[in-house]
Amino acid sequence: MAVSSGSRARTRKTTKAAANGAQQTQAAPVNLSDERLIEMYRQMVLIRRFEEKSAEGYAYGKIGGFCHLYIGEEAVAVGAIGALSADDHLVTHYRDHGYALARGCDPGAVMAELYGRASGVSGGRGGSMHLADVSKGFWGGYAIVAGHIPLAVGIAQAIKYRKLEQIVICFFGDGATNNGYFHESLNIAAVNDLPIIFLVENNSYGMGTAINLASRVTEIVDKAAAYHITAEQTDGMDPLAVYEATSRLRERCLAGEGPFLLEAKTYRLVGHSTADPAGYRTKDEVEQYRAGDPIGRFGQVLAERGVLSADAAKQIDQEMIEAADAAAKFADESPEPAPDTLYDMVYAAPLG
Amino acid sequence: MAVSSGSRARTRKTTKAAANGAQQTQAAPVNLSDERLIEMYRQMVLIRRFEEKSAEGYAYGKIGGFCHLYIGEEAVAVGAIGALSADDHLVTHYRDHGYALARGCDPGAVMAELYGRASGVSGGRGGSMHLADVSKGFWGGYAIVAGHIPLAVGIAQAIKYRKLEQIVICFFGDGATNNGYFHESLNIAAVNDLPIIFLVENNSYGMGTAINLASRVTEIVDKAAAYHITAEQTDGMDPLAVYEATSRLRERCLAGEGPFLLEAKTYRLVGHSTADPAGYRTKDEVEQYRAGDPIGRFGQVLAERGVLSADAAKQIDQEMIEAADAAAKFADESPEPAPDTLYDMVYAAPLG
Amino acid sequence: MAQITYREAIRQALREEMTRDERVYIMGEDIGAYGGSYAVTKGFLDEWGPDRIVDTPIAEGGIVGVATGAAMHGMRPIVEIMSINFSLLAMDQICNHASKLHYMFNGQITVPLVIRTASGWGQLAATHSQTFEAWYASMPGLKVAMPATPYDAKGMLISAIRDPDPVMFIEHSLLYGTRGEVPEGDYTVPLGQAEVKREGTDLTIVTYSRSLMIAQQAADQLAKQDISVEIVDLRSLRPLDTGPAVASVQKTNRALVVEEDWRSCGMGAEIVARLQEEAFDYLDAPIMRIAAVEVPLPYAKNLERLCYPTEQDVVGAALKLLNR
Amino acid sequence: MAQITYREAIRQALREEMTRDERVYIMGEDIGAYGGSYAVTKGFLDEWGPDRIVDTPIAEGGIVGVATGAAMHGMRPIVEIMSINFSLLAMDQICNHASKLHYMFNGQITVPLVIRTASGWGQLAATHSQTFEAWYASMPGLKVAMPATPYDAKGMLISAIRDPDPVMFIEHSLLYGTRGEVPEGDYTVPLGQAEVKREGTDLTIVTYSRSLMIAQQAADQLAKQDISVEIVDLRSLRPLDTGPAVASVQKTNRALVVEEDWRSCGMGAEIVARLQEEAFDYLDAPIMRIAAVEVPLPYAKNLERLCYPTEQDVVGAALKLLNR
Ligand SMILES: Cc1ncc(C[n+]2csc(CCOP(=O)(O)OP(=O)(O)O)c2C)c(N)n1
Ligand SMILES: Cc1ncc(C[n+]2csc(CCOP(=O)(O)OP(=O)(O)O)c2C)c(N)n1
Ligand SMILES: [Mg+2]
Ligand SMILES: [Mg+2]
């Protein structure tokens, strides 16, 4: 009978290609105006500066609980979310500051959420891991690893049932792909042909566990074969590559060809959370990735294209530092949620 | 970047081959003595006649709860379990009468379990879905779909830790492969290189839901690519094919090359349980499979090889009818569990 | 009024709401071609088609999550989980997701989701004979309904479907065939309201779901001994309406809880705790609990029979409570 | 005796048992290279190597199942689940599998499994701030330990590891840094035994885990008002040893339960139910419960502070119980 040749040894060698007959393809040229390119750069810098400010807020005890920074991964959120329309939907995991900012949430309202203030995007009830702005189709960050994937599939199911011209993008990490929810969700999405892109941020670690200790399969695209879902890898340190892939897959979702899995190779340049010194990685490894910092890289690309001068870059950086400072100031000056709201909204329709 | 070509359209066409580059291979010739071949035939007939007797017991109200018959799938249990050594381990789902009999459990003790009697293999506490004989390495049937797969992986983990010369075989259905436990278990088994064969009985239905309504992937071997596990398909209506594949993969497990996934294509010739009239399948479909009844087919093979005469076959059948009758008689005459044992064995070490 | 079964009452509620509201649809394992493991949705696939009767893979966690997502984005999903025992596989989705979102996201998200599932038993052995209503009843953000009669089943299911919050709607496999009066067409029984199902003066029995039947039978028997039993059917377990039970105990001064869950940490414990909090001075005797025996439920019929409360258990407890 | 932390007490128990018994090993997410999310296993990977300190993928259900299987075949696994909140993803394995097998298979299988997990909170928001001990305490076949002090933590963990049954061993994130006297080396505190942690005459407080700390602080404060409080620490929640609490109530005639779970259907309900069953005639007032507020726990510090019982809540309730 049939013998699969997808053995461990063979596939581990082909790290760059998907095991199931994948090929290297060149990213299609991206047609974006200079303004859009600069806007993307601004967003990336905003996220970086915002995150640095978050780390500071955490150190000062203004932010509590768990706080997961997006430093190093900015290109993914900015590229992918930049490819969405205003009607599309996002569902994300807890490392969610970057998505919120890329989706255009006000940095003050995001920081206020981290500070646990009434003016926060979730009224101070959710905190860092649970940002949401449903008016923008941003259905929230979720803190149970992989638990949000079926929710995203459900939104896509509603879209299909309601015959809307929308797609869903669901962000999660490499670690989440080892969880049962990943499996059940991709299978359900596939068998129902739903308009959803599963965007895996492969940063090679789930918390402190290296990807190869958690699975034989370190190229996440390989996992899509189990659902007959078409999968792609993209360079998650390059916002244009992510933008291009997302745009293309989004169109295909609208054409009824979904779902898709998009793997963005990326790296977090800081610890898993603000509490993590990340002793499980070598300095060398981190330095190597730091040298390819996506902001520096994208700045250079834009400089080479003549879109962004050194001065302009400096000015953007200054503006974003100020924006982050202003966000922190806004948060700090915002009132805490009123104690008498504690029991509000446990139910949409309280009874008895 | 890399683009996977494992798209739905392409793969759906290659129904006979695994999507990831699978090839058709010829089953290696099986070297079994005439005695063993006849013994396998006897086991298949025993299971068939036993199951018919179970249906009768259910109809008469001797058996309660859920009762899932193995009729049509006998070749899988007999072939696979026939390839194991006495030290190996089995963990199975609830459709488990066939495994118990193929592993050599006394038919009387099995039937007594179905009848809920103290002389049952599980003392009458487990019933049809929870047969076990740990002295034979048969760790039981389990009634939560896919819930036993991690248990089987754990037994394999213990084997590896304890450096034992043993393997585990874990039986489950096509429907179970859509569950999160399947995913988590295969991944954990793979990353730890455990000596286990996941044997999927693909009978094209999970209860009343056709396989293609539950997943895009109807050839279960395709799912193994997501774990970089080597997978094979075998003809689950041919005990020799199943035997050959299991023997070979068992050797490889012992050599440290595990885990493996083995998909046996089979069909249940009766309803999901004794309560199911199976209205979701066409008569034609059932008739087609009935024509290829594995017992008839195997009998013919043995006849052609000159191992089994028509008379001998008839005699075996008669003996197995009698064995099933005797099992039912034994069960019926066995006492119920003593009421004062109700609280026994909630704990191995009751406290306070 | 027509006498119909509990099963048929639920079918009526489902069909009427699916007719009334296009956003209502049903998802679950084997609800379509198979017709539902307890035949509740038999024929629905033909009637409504595969967009509204959605057969799913065997993936309770995924299914509940998907339905939750659909509810977030404008649908009114009803998920059938064959057995409450399998809801353990969806526990995280029910409790960490569906029940939390409205509050955690400050009212931005609502989850109008109904999870229909069945409690019950009948030689199904340890993993298929449990009931977990007390767990769900502890969960803020979730509503829990557990009707005992066809009338309540239909009226409460309609309420649940129209409710904007997630509702665990817990049926009972041994009630599906029971009959009672049910009006055709639209009516609702509100969630969160207990009801006195039998008036009496000597003793209060607080109960819900199938145990109501046992309690009624016991009350009939006790009536022959001139003992007058009042029975309060909780119907909803969250929010839990203890008003009628408290009022009843203030009258009878003696109370007994009957349930099919294990005794330790079951609903009975909560009811006892509240009654003694709210009616301490009225109690002439400790409140008693009749519940399932605390073992993994055995398959053998003779053993299983020892595990669940019987009419005789209730009668015995009542007599003991009354010192008779 | 050395004063060490609750964390260090647990570390000692783990190391001593791993030294004593080769079959003991630890599995869990980020217990190796990361050192454990609460640093309980920090350094263990270097000390014991990857066969005995097994980092796993993020798959709570799978992990508990795998450990159960290993326990069946001769190992003594200890699984760490980072947070009791994530145990919902393993609920089916814990309840439908590990807890059932010994009984369901008529004693053929035993499951000497320890699941270590942490209750606790601290601006972790709704999905990371719950505690589910009452659910586990309802499960036949499972044992549940929830120690409050370093001494009990070490002694009970050793007992749990040596026990042939599955044990949920529930630690508390806010206790890891607390200190107490702990002997070096081998000693055990038996599972299933409550202990009087403070003797008194006016009022009984029944509690466990971190709430013991709150209760002690409240008792200190009440002592200044000449109110003498007896505190019973349950320590194990299944089997639940109510003996010391009943004896205490027979002496004080007034009882108060303090817990961090939500009030409805929490441990407190079961304790109240049992105390009124076993000491009804001794009670001069309804038993009170101090528990967490029934909302999905909010992130904001000022709101969260309103949710969990404080020393002041306990003092207030005690005064009320004593009509002062
Ligand atoms: C069910 C569950 N288990 C464990 C955790 C703890 N945890 C939080 S983040 C994380 C790692 C996730 O890794 P990955 O999916 O790769 O995302 P990344 O943080 O790398 O972006 C873990 C284990 C959790 N939040 N939920
Ligand atoms: C978690 C869970 N969900 C649902 C069920 C009900 N159920 C029992 S068997 C079955 C179908 C399983 O199909 P498959 O895995 O293909 O095995 P087969 O019966 O075809 O051999 C279902 C849905 C269950 N027992 N457990
Ligand atoms: Mg990661
Ligand atoms: Mg099947």
Side-chain angles (χ1 to χ4, degrees):
Chain A
M1 306 294 294
V3 179
S4 125
S5 60
S7 82
R8 185 185 189 177
R10 193 188 74 82
T11 318
R12 284 217 160 158
K13 273 184 230 137
T14 62
T15 36
K16 273 281 163 73
N20 37 6
Q23 292 156 305
Q24 297 285 118
T25 61
Q26 203 53 35
V30 172
N31 245 337
L32 287 171
S33 67
D34 290 359
E35 288 69 35
R36 279 301 309 281
L37 292 171
I38 289 180
E39 179 50 31
M40 287 171 88
Y41 183 79
R42 289 177 68 90
Q43 284 192 340
M44 288 174 66
V45 178
L46 172 63
I47 295 171
R48 176 68 54 91
R49 294 308 189 186
F50 182 96
E51 291 298 58
E52 288 165 359
K53 204 74 199 168
S54 302
E56 203 180 298
Y58 190 86
Y60 288 152
K62 299 280 187 186
I63 298 171
F66 295 136
C67 185
H68 307 85
L69 305 183
Y70 202 61
I71 290 177
E73 310 192 3
E74 296 89 346
V76 185
V78 169
I81 296 171
L84 301 183
S85 92
D87 279 350
D88 291 332
H89 302 270
L90 284 85
V91 188
T92 82
H93 62 170
Y94 45 84
R95 191 183 301 287
D96 57 354
H97 311 170
Y99 313 125
L101 296 173
R103 192 58 173 176
C105 292
D106 174 63
V110 175
M111 190 63 85
E113 189 59 37
L114 274 55
Y115 276 51
R117 303 303 166 94
S119 56
V121 287
S122 301
R125 290 169 167 222
S128 160
M129 305 194 287
H130 304 110
L131 308 173
D133 186 345
V134 173
S135 72
K136 295 188 161 66
F138 174 34
W139 292 92
Y142 292 83
I144 298 294
V145 169
H148 63 300
I149 311 180
L151 304 182
V153 173
I155 294 172
Q157 195 192 49
I159 290 171
K160 187 173 180 197
Y161 186 96
R162 297 172 60 194
K163 302 191 171 51
L164 304 172
E165 280 285 296
Q166 305 174 344
I167 75 143
V168 181
I169 189 162
C170 179
F171 291 87
F172 49 89
D174 50 288
T177 68
N178 298 320
N179 190 279
Y181 281 137
F182 169 82
H183 182 70
E184 297 184 356
S185 301
L186 269 71
N187 185 58
I188 294 174
V191 76
N192 290 292
D193 305 319
L194 298 182
I196 179 167
I197 301 171
F198 298 103
L199 200 155
V200 185
E201 294 179 334
N202 185 348
N203 62 11
S204 294
Y205 291 88
M207 218 162 139
T209 302
I211 186 167
N212 63 317
L213 293 179
S215 181
R216 277 188 184 175
V217 181
T218 56
E219 309 292 315
I220 306 297
V221 278
D222 288 9
K223 301 192 182 192
Y227 318 98
H228 290 185
I229 284 179
T230 301
E232 283 191 30
Q233 272 180 337
T234 190
D235 181 354
M237 304 307 252
D238 174 0
L240 299 184
V242 178
Y243 174 89
E244 186 280 325
T246 308
S247 305
R248 195 162 29 74
L249 297 181
R250 178 178 177 278
E251 288 304 321
R252 293 183 64 185
C253 277
L254 290 175
E257 296 171 40
F260 295 97
L261 185 149
L262 178 59
E263 175 182 8
K265 299 279 204 157
T266 183
Y267 196 80
R268 62 172 156 69
L269 292 169
V270 293
H272 169 70
S273 71
T274 43
D276 169 27
Y280 45 83
R281 319 191 285 197
T282 63
K283 278 221 171 95
D284 274 7
E285 177 181 307
V286 180
E287 277 319 309
Q288 193 184 317
Y289 279 99
R290 211 182 289 282
D293 187 313
I295 294 180
R297 242 180 84 183
F298 189 43
Q300 199 144 351
V301 167
L302 295 187
E304 281 162 16
R305 290 201 194 177
V307 175
L308 185 77
S309 68
D311 275 0
K314 219 176 255 163
Q315 194 190 326
I316 288 173
D317 194 43
Q318 192 50 42
E319 284 173 29
M320 295 305 122
I321 289 173
E322 282 161 21
D325 285 349
K329 186 156 183 288
F330 171 78
D332 209 26
E333 290 171 355
S334 291
E336 293 180 321
D340 65 6
T341 60
L342 179 64
Y343 289 94
D344 293 351
M345 295 187 283
V346 176
Y347 295 98
L351 301 169
Chain B
M1 307 293 297
V3 179
S4 123
S5 60
S7 82
R8 184 187 191 180
R10 193 187 75 82
T11 319
R12 285 218 161 159
K13 272 182 234 135
T14 61
T15 36
K16 272 281 164 73
N20 37 9
Q23 290 156 309
Q24 296 287 118
T25 62
Q26 203 52 36
V30 173
N31 245 336
L32 287 171
S33 68
D34 291 357
E35 289 68 35
R36 277 301 309 282
L37 291 171
I38 289 181
E39 180 51 30
M40 286 171 89
Y41 183 79
R42 289 175 69 89
Q43 284 192 338
M44 288 174 68
V45 178
L46 172 63
I47 295 171
R48 176 68 54 92
R49 294 308 189 186
F50 182 95
E51 291 299 57
E52 289 165 356
K53 204 76 199 166
S54 302
E56 201 179 299
Y58 190 86
Y60 288 152
K62 298 279 186 187
I63 298 171
F66 295 135
C67 185
H68 307 85
L69 305 183
Y70 201 60
I71 291 178
E73 312 192 3
E74 295 90 347
V76 184
V78 170
I81 296 171
L84 301 183
S85 91
D87 280 349
D88 291 333
H89 303 270
L90 283 84
V91 188
T92 82
H93 61 170
Y94 45 84
R95 191 184 302 287
D96 57 354
H97 312 170
Y99 314 125
L101 296 173
R103 191 57 171 176
C105 292
D106 174 62
V110 175
M111 190 63 85
E113 188 60 35
L114 274 55
Y115 277 50
R117 303 304 166 93
S119 55
V121 287
S122 302
R125 291 169 167 222
S128 161
M129 306 193 287
H130 304 110
L131 307 172
D133 185 345
V134 173
S135 73
K136 295 188 162 64
F138 173 34
W139 292 92
Y142 292 82
I144 298 295
V145 169
H148 63 300
I149 311 179
L151 303 182
V153 173
I155 294 172
Q157 195 193 49
I159 290 172
K160 188 174 179 193
Y161 186 97
R162 296 171 60 193
K163 301 190 172 56
L164 304 172
E165 281 284 297
Q166 304 174 344
I167 75 142
V168 181
I169 187 161
C170 179
F171 290 87
F172 49 89
D174 49 288
T177 67
N178 297 320
N179 190 278
Y181 281 136
F182 169 83
H183 182 70
E184 297 183 356
S185 301
L186 269 72
N187 185 58
I188 294 173
V191 76
N192 291 293
D193 304 319
L194 298 182
I196 179 166
I197 300 172
F198 299 103
L199 199 155
V200 185
E201 293 179 337
N202 185 348
N203 61 10
S204 294
Y205 291 88
M207 215 160 141
T209 302
I211 186 168
N212 63 316
L213 293 179
S215 182
R216 278 188 184 176
V217 181
T218 56
E219 308 294 313
I220 307 297
V221 278
D222 288 8
K223 302 193 181 191
Y227 317 98
H228 291 185
I229 285 179
T230 300
E232 282 190 32
Q233 272 180 338
T234 189
D235 181 353
M237 305 306 253
D238 175 1
L240 299 183
V242 179
Y243 174 89
E244 185 282 324
T246 308
S247 304
R248 193 163 29 75
L249 298 181
R250 178 178 177 277
E251 287 304 320
R252 293 182 64 184
C253 277
L254 291 175
E257 296 172 40
F260 295 97
L261 185 148
L262 178 60
E263 175 183 8
K265 299 281 205 155
T266 184
Y267 196 79
R268 62 171 155 72
L269 291 170
V270 294
H272 169 69
S273 72
T274 43
D276 170 26
Y280 45 83
R281 318 192 288 198
T282 63
K283 279 219 169 99
D284 274 7
E285 178 181 307
V286 179
E287 277 319 308
Q288 194 184 319
Y289 280 100
R290 211 182 289 280
D293 186 314
I295 294 180
R297 241 180 84 182
F298 189 44
Q300 199 143 355
V301 167
L302 296 188
E304 280 161 17
R305 290 201 195 178
V307 173
L308 185 76
S309 69
D311 275 359
K314 219 176 257 167
Q315 194 190 326
I316 287 173
D317 194 43
Q318 192 50 42
E319 283 172 30
M320 294 306 124
I321 289 173
E322 283 160 21
D325 286 348
K329 184 156 186 289
F330 171 78
D332 209 27
E333 289 170 356
S334 290
E336 294 180 320
D340 65 5
T341 60
L342 179 65
Y343 289 94
D344 293 351
M345 294 188 280
V346 177
Y347 296 99
L351 301 168
Chain C
M1 254 190 293
Q3 284 266 352
I4 62 170
T5 60
Y6 187 90
R7 176 186 288 107
E8 186 54 32
I10 291 165
R11 287 168 61 83
Q12 283 189 10
L14 293 172
R15 290 161 106 168
E16 289 170 20
E17 289 303 291
M18 286 186 60
T19 305
R20 190 186 57 76
D21 187 344
E22 265 225 320
R23 301 168 302 172
V24 177
Y25 71 104
I26 313 181
M27 275 179 81
E29 295 163 18
D30 295 297
I31 61 162
Y34 193 89
S37 53
Y38 291 109
V40 171
T41 54
K42 201 162 176 178
F44 277 32
L45 179 61
D46 287 342
E47 194 173 340
W48 301 96
D51 284 351
R52 300 189 71 185
I53 303 297
V54 184
D55 270 322
T56 66
I58 304 165
E60 285 77 8
I63 294 165
V64 171
V66 169
T68 301
M72 289 159 63
H73 194 28
M75 300 296 292
R76 293 267 171 171
I78 300 168
V79 171
E80 176 176 309
I81 294 188
M82 283 187 190
S83 156
I84 196 168
N85 294 275
F86 310 156
S87 75
L88 296 192
L89 290 113
M91 197 51 90
D92 165 69
Q93 281 300 325
I94 300 170
C95 298
N96 278 337
H97 294 87
S99 303
K100 297 280 189 287
L101 306 188
H102 189 67
Y103 190 93
M104 189 167 76
F105 292 118
N106 205 31
Q108 293 184 83
I109 291 175
T110 55
V111 182
L113 167 70
V114 177
I115 300 174
R116 287 182 44 241
T117 189
S119 181
W121 44 278
Q123 288 200 268
L124 304 175
T127 66
H128 283 49
S129 308
Q130 307 160 94
T131 189
F132 295 107
E133 62 271 14
W135 297 13
Y136 293 113
S138 77
M139 188 53 51
L142 189 64
K143 293 171 179 170
V144 182
M146 202 156 172
T149 67
Y151 182 90
D152 287 343
K154 178 172 174 184
M156 290 174 76
L157 182 50
I158 293 177
S159 292
I161 294 170
R162 297 182 188 174
D163 196 276
D165 294 307
V167 181
M168 279 299 283
F169 190 88
I170 308 176
E171 303 164 11
H172 196 298
S173 63
L174 298 177
L175 287 178
Y176 284 125
T178 61
R179 289 175 178 275
E181 295 206 330
V182 175
E184 275 191 37
D186 202 331
Y187 71 94
T188 58
V189 173
L191 302 179
Q193 289 190 13
E195 185 179 68
V196 175
K197 281 274 165 47
R198 179 185 189 116
E199 294 197 10
T201 51
D202 295 332
L203 170 76
T204 302
I205 297 182
V206 185
T207 190
Y208 58 92
S209 191
R210 177 176 173 275
S211 299
L212 173 64
M213 217 167 81
I214 306 298
Q216 289 280 23
Q217 289 162 358
D220 287 345
Q221 211 178 301
L222 289 162
K224 292 181 195 142
Q225 303 177 46
D226 275 335
I227 294 170
S228 160
V229 175
E230 180 145 308
I231 302 181
V232 179
D233 177 4
L234 294 170
R235 301 198 293 194
S236 284
L237 304 179
R238 186 174 193 96
L240 182 61
D241 172 22
T242 46
V246 170
S248 180
V249 169
Q250 287 174 342
K251 183 169 70 175
T252 65
N253 311 118
R254 286 177 158 79
L256 174 62
V257 182
V258 187
E259 64 183 328
E260 286 190 354
D261 200 356
W262 292 306
R263 176 190 311 265
S264 289
C265 302
M267 272 319 294
E270 180 62 28
I271 297 162
V272 169
R274 294 212 195 174
L275 288 180
Q276 71 90 41
E277 277 159 11
E278 296 171 41
F280 185 80
D281 292 333
Y282 293 90
L283 285 170
D284 287 347
I287 306 162
M288 287 179 70
R289 291 182 284 171
I290 307 279
V293 150
E294 299 196 27
V295 301
L297 276 299
Y299 166 78
K301 200 180 218 161
N302 73 315
L303 293 184
E304 188 187 48
R305 207 181 285 130
L306 303 172
C307 292
Y308 292 103
T310 63
E311 186 184 329
Q312 255 353 90
D313 295 335
V314 177
V315 169
L319 294 176
K320 199 168 157 207
L321 257 183
L322 293 160
N323 300 315
R324 305 248 298 236
Chain D
M1 255 192 291
Q3 283 266 352
I4 63 170
T5 60
Y6 188 92
R7 176 186 289 105
E8 186 55 31
I10 292 165
R11 287 168 61 82
Q12 283 188 10
L14 294 172
R15 290 160 106 166
E16 289 171 18
E17 289 304 291
M18 287 185 61
T19 305
R20 189 186 59 78
D21 187 345
E22 264 225 319
R23 301 168 302 172
V24 177
Y25 71 104
I26 314 181
M27 274 179 82
E29 296 163 18
D30 295 296
I31 61 162
Y34 193 89
S37 53
Y38 291 109
V40 171
T41 54
K42 202 165 178 174
F44 277 32
L45 179 61
D46 286 343
E47 194 173 338
W48 302 96
D51 283 350
R52 300 190 71 184
I53 303 296
V54 184
D55 270 323
T56 67
I58 305 166
E60 284 78 8
I63 295 165
V64 170
V66 169
T68 301
M72 289 159 62
H73 194 29
M75 301 295 293
R76 293 267 171 172
I78 300 168
V79 171
E80 176 175 308
I81 295 188
M82 282 188 190
S83 155
I84 195 168
N85 294 275
F86 310 155
S87 75
L88 296 193
L89 289 112
M91 197 51 90
D92 166 70
Q93 280 301 324
I94 300 170
C95 298
N96 277 337
H97 294 86
S99 304
K100 298 281 189 285
L101 306 188
H102 189 67
Y103 190 92
M104 188 167 77
F105 292 117
N106 205 31
Q108 294 184 82
I109 291 175
T110 56
V111 181
L113 167 70
V114 176
I115 300 175
R116 287 183 44 243
T117 189
S119 182
W121 44 279
Q123 287 200 268
L124 304 175
T127 65
H128 283 50
S129 308
Q130 307 159 95
T131 189
F132 295 107
E133 61 271 15
W135 297 14
Y136 293 113
S138 77
M139 189 54 51
L142 189 64
K143 293 172 178 169
V144 182
M146 202 158 172
T149 66
Y151 182 89
D152 287 343
K154 178 171 175 184
M156 291 174 74
L157 183 50
I158 293 176
S159 292
I161 294 170
R162 297 180 187 175
D163 196 276
D165 294 307
V167 180
M168 279 299 283
F169 191 88
I170 308 175
E171 305 165 8
H172 197 296
S173 63
L174 298 177
L175 287 178
Y176 284 125
T178 60
R179 289 177 177 276
E181 296 205 327
V182 174
E184 276 191 36
D186 202 329
Y187 70 94
T188 58
V189 172
L191 302 179
Q193 290 189 13
E195 185 179 68
V196 174
K197 282 273 164 47
R198 179 186 189 116
E199 295 197 10
T201 51
D202 296 332
L203 170 76
T204 302
I205 296 181
V206 185
T207 190
Y208 57 93
S209 190
R210 177 176 174 276
S211 299
L212 173 63
M213 218 167 79
I214 305 298
Q216 289 280 22
Q217 290 162 357
D220 287 346
Q221 212 178 302
L222 289 161
K224 291 181 198 142
Q225 302 178 44
D226 276 336
I227 295 169
S228 161
V229 174
E230 180 144 308
I231 301 180
V232 179
D233 178 4
L234 294 170
R235 301 199 293 194
S236 284
L237 303 180
R238 185 174 192 96
L240 182 62
D241 172 22
T242 45
V246 170
S248 180
V249 169
Q250 287 174 341
K251 182 170 69 174
T252 66
N253 311 117
R254 285 177 160 76
L256 173 64
V257 182
V258 188
E259 63 184 327
E260 286 190 355
D261 200 357
W262 292 305
R263 176 191 311 264
S264 290
C265 303
M267 273 318 294
E270 180 61 29
I271 298 161
V272 170
R274 294 212 194 173
L275 288 181
Q276 71 90 41
E277 278 158 11
E278 296 171 41
F280 184 80
D281 292 334
Y282 294 90
L283 285 170
D284 287 347
I287 306 161
M288 286 179 73
R289 292 182 283 171
I290 307 279
V293 151
E294 298 196 28
V295 301
L297 275 300
Y299 166 78
K301 199 181 218 157
N302 72 316
L303 292 184
E304 187 187 48
R305 206 182 286 131
L306 302 173
C307 292
Y308 292 103
T310 63
E311 185 183 332
Q312 255 351 91
D313 294 335
V314 178
V315 169
L319 294 176
K320 198 167 155 207
L321 256 183
L322 293 160
N323 300 314
R324 305 247 299 234

